[in-house]
Amino acid sequence: MNVARSFNNWRKFRQTVAELGRMSSRELQDLGIDRADIRSVARASIAR
């Protein structure tokens, strides 16, 4: 079960990074996210 959870967390992290990376700087700014913070936002998304 732990391996499956780790894989799902990794997949969710990568998906979040990819989705936010495709956004323009303006769109990220509207969300209150700096481009440099994408990875930390993605890490926070798997903690929920």
Side-chain angles (χ1 to χ4, degrees):
M1 187 67 162
N2 196 16
V3 173
R5 184 179 306 128
S6 293
F7 178 73
N8 284 333
N9 284 344
W10 173 80
R11 219 177 58 199
K12 186 175 181 182
F13 172 81
R14 292 301 306 151
Q15 181 180 9
T16 303
V17 169
E19 287 178 11
L20 291 174
R22 284 191 298 268
M23 295 178 114
S24 69
S25 293
R26 176 61 189 226
E27 290 170 321
L28 290 171
Q29 184 181 20
D30 288 345
L31 295 173
I33 300 171
D34 191 67
R35 190 159 295 280
D37 296 331
I38 288 176
R39 293 179 68 83
S40 61
V41 169
R43 269 192 290 280
S45 76
I46 62 173
R48 294 184 214 173

